[in-house]
Amino acid sequence: FLGWNRFVSLPGFILGGYFATTFSRWDERWQFWVPALACVLGVPGGVFFLFSSVPWIMFTGYFLMSFFTAMHFGPLMAICQTVVRVRMRAVAVAVFIMMVNFIGQIVGPLGIGIMNEKMGPIYGADAIRYSMLWFGTLVGIGAGTLMWIAARYFPRDAERAL
């Protein structure tokens, strides 16, 4: 099951970069707007995945969530390299990857676990679903909102890096 995730995420990686590059010809802020929209669009897939009892709806939600969450990696790595000076690009990408992994592999599971313990008395066995829903929604919409706001400063930061 998890192996299929790679087949669904791959088009997300490719299309995220393609859409950001194509749309940024008209306005360079699309490099932020594409991943921002993808983060927000992945949230409904997570809801279907977590709360559906029908297998095909659950898998469709999981695949949609995987597809949209993969769309942000390419554009954000390109942004990391655009807003720093040439001699700092490798360090900028390394810090970006480190922070993504830190948040995704340490803060995320820890936060979901803490919420699960707090929600356990209320929701019982479904507490994990609600914890993942709450945390995933917060992260998806929060990240999308922050990227949308960051787009406002991108032209100035990119110009300063030259």
Side-chain angles (χ1 to χ4, degrees):
F1 170 68
L2 290 177
W4 286 102
N5 178 30
R6 304 300 179 237
F7 291 111
V8 176
S9 296
L10 182 62
F13 288 123
I14 294 168
L15 289 175
Y18 175 77
F19 289 144
T21 302
T22 302
F23 296 153
S24 68
R25 291 180 188 151
W26 294 287
D27 188 341
E28 61 188 4
R29 293 174 294 180
W30 274 104
Q31 291 183 32
F32 274 99
W33 293 339
V34 167
L37 290 171
C39 284
V40 173
L41 289 173
V43 171
V47 173
F48 289 128
F49 169 65
L50 291 170
F51 290 100
S52 177
S53 59
V54 179
W56 72 269
I57 294 175
M58 179 184 66
F59 286 122
T60 301
Y62 181 74
F63 291 149
L64 285 172
M65 181 180 64
S66 297
F67 174 80
F68 284 118
T69 50
M71 286 184 81
H72 75 277
F73 282 105
L76 290 182
M77 285 199 190
I79 289 167
C80 281
Q81 294 184 18
T82 303
V83 298
V84 298
R85 292 190 170 87
V86 174
R87 299 188 72 168
M88 299 170 59
R89 289 182 177 171
V91 173
V93 170
V95 169
F96 171 73
I97 291 171
M98 182 188 72
M99 292 309 297
V100 165
N101 286 312
F102 176 76
I103 292 169
Q105 295 180 8
I106 296 172
V107 175
L110 179 64
I112 290 172
I114 291 169
M115 289 179 63
N116 189 44
E117 288 182 4
K118 301 291 183 193
M119 293 182 169
I122 300 167
Y123 295 108
D126 285 336
I128 189 69
R129 290 180 184 205
Y130 287 100
S131 300
M132 291 175 73
L133 172 70
W134 193 90
F135 207 80
T137 302
L138 177 69
V139 169
I141 294 175
T145 303
L146 291 174
M147 283 185 258
W148 198 270
I149 292 168
R152 191 173 12 177
Y153 304 101
F154 179 61
R156 182 186 65 196
D157 291 343
E159 182 69 28
R160 190 173 43 193
L162 294 176

